[in-house]
Amino acid sequence: MTRDRVANPLDDTTRTAQAPEAPVVADGQTHAACLVVLSGSSVGEMYRLDKERVVLGRGDKVDLRLIDDGISREHAQILKEGEQHLLEDLSSTNGTYCNGERVQRHALAEGDKILLGSTTILKFSYQDRLDEMFQRQMSESALRDGLTRAFNKRYFTERIDSEFQYANRHRTPLSLIFIDIDHFKRINDVHGHQAGDYVLMQLATLLMSMLGEEEVLARYGGEEFAIVARGSESPAASVLSERMRAAVAAHPFTHEGASIPVTVSVGVASAPAPGLRAAADLVARADETMYTAKRAGRNRVCVAGETPPLT
């Protein structure tokens, strides 16, 4: 096993270690091998290593996709050989590091820290079912909005930053959709705050059911939601937005026997576009376009740079 020190990635120093064995619980059953994201855009998430080969990278066809500009498309892989899990670099641009040292091939042990790219740190761990359940609950608490189960604003902020950098570097499209419930204060005033919470939960569930794997829904704040659509150009994002707007308007929101009419105003902004130098610029443009939809009469979709519809 060859390992290069971080201070000198070209150092030929080698060391050999005994391959660690997987821990065994009291009943003789082996714990499941997992990776837990300690830092990066997916912080808190856990991935179970239940395949013979798991490829890590930022490409679309890897097993474990990590959004980090310093990670190669196919950066590293984890191989299961008997009871061992081996970390192997796949000729990545910036290298694969374990416990602070650059590695080419390394037998993983409980608690090993893996660094990929500039910000992503993974922890290798053997977890039993209770450990796994607890970690997933912790992940959900850190990344999800407690009411709607959409991703929270913290996750959204990290994700849109990473996605914008990725799109800018690789010259791929990225769309951001902002959605705001029309007259939400009126819903709370007329039907009560419990009804308002019900509408938020139902709306989030409806929207998430309409999204693909490359689209992420987050609760941006209050009655406002945001959808990050990776690889989606403005026309496709506009079509998706109109489908969602129509679905919300047609959905029966009924709380304690009372029918609640719900519509949304939607703003779409896409990159690349003039004047968009950072993720914050894209967020501001999508938000402003959403308010354009509200000023144009609500219950409609507006696209940045296009004339608002009259209907």
Side-chain angles (χ1 to χ4, degrees):
M1 175 176 61
T2 303
R3 312 177 76 179
D4 299 330
R5 301 179 186 281
V6 173
N8 182 8
L10 300 180
D11 185 2
D12 291 328
T13 302
T14 61
R15 65 175 65 182
T16 302
Q18 294 294 321
E21 296 183 356
V24 178
V25 294
D27 61 5
Q29 296 298 314
T30 304
H31 287 61
C34 299
L35 289 177
V36 180
V37 184
L38 300 182
S39 70
S41 63
S42 300
V43 62
E45 293 189 12
M46 183 177 69
Y47 302 90
R48 193 167 186 168
L49 300 173
D50 52 6
K51 297 170 61 177
E52 296 296 317
R53 178 176 183 259
V54 176
V55 178
L56 303 94
R58 56 173 172 78
D60 294 332
K61 298 181 180 180
V62 299
D63 300 295
L64 200 168
R65 181 167 168 263
L66 300 163
I67 304 172
D68 184 326
D69 206 41
I71 294 179
S72 299
R73 292 181 182 276
E74 293 188 359
H75 193 104
Q77 64 182 3
I78 295 179
L79 304 173
K80 187 176 187 300
E81 297 185 0
E83 296 301 321
Q84 303 175 23
H85 285 82
L86 304 176
L87 172 67
E88 187 175 87
D89 184 72
L90 295 176
S91 301
S92 64
T93 301
N94 296 316
T96 298
Y97 294 82
C98 187
N99 300 327
E101 296 187 339
R102 186 165 183 167
V103 300
Q104 192 61 42
R105 185 177 172 90
H106 170 67
L108 290 168
E110 170 70 31
D112 276 355
K113 307 295 192 308
I114 303 167
L115 171 65
L116 305 177
S118 55
T119 63
T120 301
I121 299 176
L122 311 171
K123 176 184 176 181
F124 177 79
S125 178
Y126 291 98
Q127 312 235 359
D128 63 23
R129 189 168 297 177
L130 289 178
D131 292 333
E132 189 175 347
M133 289 175 59
F134 175 75
Q135 182 60 45
R136 293 195 184 281
Q137 290 173 352
M138 292 295 290
S139 173
E140 289 290 299
S141 298
L143 304 177
R144 299 278 183 177
D145 173 60
L147 177 65
T148 65
R149 308 315 299 161
F151 286 106
N152 56 28
K153 188 173 182 178
R154 170 193 169 188
Y155 178 86
F156 166 79
T157 301
E158 294 177 350
R159 181 65 180 258
I160 193 64
D161 282 342
S162 297
E163 291 286 7
F164 189 89
Q165 291 176 20
Y166 179 94
N168 187 53
R169 177 178 177 180
H170 298 281
R171 299 181 181 179
T172 57
L174 171 66
S175 289
L176 180 58
I177 302 168
F178 265 37
I179 301 170
D180 190 84
I181 301 175
D182 296 328
H183 302 299
F184 186 69
K185 182 178 183 300
R186 184 186 301 170
I187 294 175
N188 282 328
D189 291 344
V190 173
H191 300 280
H193 287 276
Q194 287 186 343
D197 288 348
Y198 161 81
V199 168
L200 289 169
M201 290 186 291
Q202 286 287 303
L203 177 70
T205 300
L206 176 61
L207 296 179
M208 283 188 284
S209 72
M210 303 178 70
L211 299 181
E213 293 183 357
E214 294 298 316
E215 295 147 356
V216 172
L217 175 74
R219 186 180 180 189
Y220 190 72
E223 67 272 23
E224 191 171 352
F225 294 84
I227 295 172
V228 181
R230 187 188 201 200
S232 180
E233 296 180 335
S234 183
S238 177
V239 170
L240 172 63
S241 298
E242 179 55 33
R243 284 180 52 232
M244 292 190 295
R245 183 208 62 77
V248 172
H251 187 77
F253 291 86
T254 304
H255 181 260
E256 295 185 349
S259 179
I260 306 173
V262 178
T263 62
V264 292
S265 297
V266 186
V268 181
S270 301
L276 298 182
R277 298 181 178 85
D281 299 327
L282 183 63
V283 171
R285 185 165 298 180
D287 193 46
E288 175 57 32
T289 305
M290 181 196 69
Y291 280 102
T292 299
K294 285 193 172 295
R295 291 190 293 267
R298 295 184 171 85
N299 189 24
R300 67 194 62 222
V301 175
C302 283
V303 178
E306 296 183 6
T307 304
L310 299 177
T311 57

